[in-house]
Amino acid sequence: MTRNLPPPANSAVMFVAFVIGTAGARNIEPSGWIVHAGSCRSAFLPGAPLAFTARTIPANVSVASWHWNVSLAPASAKVTFSSPNSPTTTAAFSSEGVYRLSATADGRVGTLVVEVYDTRLGTQDGTPRNFSYHLDTLQKVFTGDANLPIDPVAVAALKANPSITAVPAVGVHPRVLFSPADLPDIRHRLATTVPGRAVFTQIRDRIVRQISGGTDSLGRFYTLANRTGKGGSGPDPEGALFDMA
């Protein structure tokens, strides 16, 4: 394993998925449709295979041939697809590591990344691979497809501006997933696109419910006494994941 990420319920991870996932639309074919393989996922061993459903955007594209394959995997690792020639399949992973899966529809490709943790291996860099959750909880809560809506307005904007910014100079940050030159576009998409607004609202709600207090997007009011994560009685008990003190 080369990375140690928290489970994807974390709003920061959702933001990263938004940045990477929507930036991936830069590879849109000029004739106007793409393959969306789904959101990046986490998986936990030993556990049930993950379910995947690829689709075209727009949805009314007639596809003659679908195929799933593995384009990146750890050495000697194996991925078993239940229905490799269907848009809907499950995938079972043999070992821990980072995998990139590709869904191909009539020659056009969509990809996603799956990070697999083997809970039987104990800790990694001092962090339990099960993040102190039971396996059934990990499977139920942390392995699903985020299923963020794809905004046609954002897709059209990315088609019109397909450039990818250069890596910034040493010492200039942010630099890993995006650069300072990308920030105006990211801020614009967070404010004006459907998935961007959804992610930004969820990030703000997490802060209100678990850190600052205040009123969330559903009109619920939180104070330091009842915010989640400090033993309060708020409606989102998963808050303890973000506030371990």
Side-chain angles (χ1 to χ4, degrees):
M1 295 288 287
T2 57
R3 295 176 292 159
N4 185 17
L5 296 177
N10 191 319
S11 294
V13 177
M14 289 198 66
F15 170 71
V16 170
F18 163 75
V19 172
I20 296 175
T22 54
R26 297 175 188 273
N27 296 321
I28 292 171
E29 297 283 347
S31 59
W33 66 275
I34 63 170
V35 177
H36 180 54
S39 63
C40 297
R41 310 276 287 278
S42 292
F44 301 89
L45 300 176
L50 292 188
F52 298 92
T53 298
R55 56 194 171 101
T56 64
I57 300 172
N60 60 352
V61 176
S62 177
V63 175
S65 174
W66 284 95
H67 183 68
W68 285 90
N69 72 294
V70 182
S71 51
L72 174 72
S76 302
K78 182 180 180 182
V79 179
T80 302
F81 294 104
S82 61
S83 302
N85 297 315
S86 169
T88 299
T89 186
T90 63
F93 302 89
S94 65
S95 58
E96 182 173 278
V98 177
Y99 299 75
R100 184 170 64 238
L101 308 184
S102 299
T104 302
D106 292 349
R108 300 188 182 188
V109 181
T111 63
L112 59 87
V113 172
V114 180
E115 189 155 11
V116 179
Y117 300 86
D118 192 333
T119 62
R120 298 164 294 191
L121 298 181
T123 62
Q124 176 192 14
D125 300 328
T127 302
R129 281 174 165 82
N130 65 358
F131 300 95
S132 300
Y133 288 90
H134 292 296
L135 181 61
D136 59 345
T137 301
L138 293 171
Q139 294 261 113
K140 185 182 301 182
V141 179
F142 297 125
T143 64
D145 190 332
N147 197 27
L148 289 174
I150 304 298
D151 187 352
V153 175
V155 171
L158 289 169
K159 285 181 62 179
N161 180 27
S163 61
I164 298 176
T165 56
V167 177
V170 174
V172 175
H173 296 275
R175 61 180 296 104
V176 177
L177 299 174
F178 49 88
S179 73
D182 294 311
L183 292 177
D185 177 59
I186 292 172
R187 292 187 180 111
H188 174 73
R189 288 188 282 129
L190 284 171
T192 63
T193 67
V194 172
R197 289 194 295 267
V199 169
F200 188 77
T201 297
Q202 192 163 103
I203 291 172
R204 183 186 180 279
D205 282 350
R206 295 276 183 187
I207 293 172
V208 167
R209 294 168 185 166
Q210 297 161 0
I211 299 175
S212 66
T215 303
D216 69 8
S217 63
L218 299 176
R220 298 179 298 200
F221 183 70
Y222 296 82
T223 67
L224 293 181
N226 75 350
R227 70 188 179 98
T228 61
K230 278 290 188 181
S233 57
D236 296 294
E238 79 276 9
L241 178 66
F242 304 94
D243 189 350
M244 303 298 286

